[in-house]
């Protein structure tokens, strides 16, 4: 399969991307994740969202909500930052 065929299969507006990483406890890193998701949307990846956005009204912890939503996610981006103890 050539590049154009892949591009047709993975149209930007159809690609479901979730950006994971530190949350409110690390405001600078949260802001960076928000910027990444916003930039992806600006570039046409309209279904890009933050991990916490997939929770909706679920009472499940994030890791279980992600597991449940895995079949509806095409790409997980992980911002691997945060405080190291």
């Amino acid at each position: 399969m050539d590049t154009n065929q892949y591009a047709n299969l993975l149209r930007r507006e159809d690609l479901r991307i979730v950006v994971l990483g530190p949350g409110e406890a690390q405001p600078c890193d949260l802001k960076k994740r928000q910027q990444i998701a916003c930039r992806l949307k600006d570039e046409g990846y309209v279904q890009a969202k933050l991990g916490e956005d997939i929770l909706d009204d679920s009472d499940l912890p994030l890791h279980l909500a992600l597991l449940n939503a895995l079949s509806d996610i095409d790409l997980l981006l992980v911002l691997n930052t945060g405080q190291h103890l």
Side-chain angles (χ1 to χ4, degrees):
M1 192 175 287
D2 69 15
T3 305
N4 289 331
Q5 289 172 316
Y6 279 119
N8 289 334
L9 288 175
L10 298 172
R11 295 186 336 216
R12 288 180 184 202
E13 62 271 9
D14 295 332
L15 195 62
R16 298 161 301 186
I17 302 170
V18 176
V19 184
L20 301 175
E24 293 177 358
Q26 288 93 28
C28 291
D29 295 328
L30 173 60
K31 184 177 180 181
K32 178 51 88 177
R33 278 196 312 123
Q34 291 167 334
Q35 289 172 341
I36 291 169
C38 185
R39 180 67 185 264
L40 285 166
K41 288 178 184 177
D42 289 347
E43 294 293 325
Y45 297 96
V46 295
Q47 295 192 57
K49 56 179 79 173
L50 300 175
E52 50 269 32
D53 294 338
I54 69 162
L55 290 174
D56 296 323
D57 295 324
S58 173
D59 291 331
L60 293 174
L62 180 58
H63 69 284
L64 293 177
L66 277 171
L67 188 58
N68 284 342
L70 210 50
S71 63
D72 295 325
I73 298 171
D74 296 310
L75 177 64
L76 287 173
L77 295 177
V78 179
L79 183 62
N80 190 17
T81 64
Q83 297 176 349
H84 301 281
L85 300 176

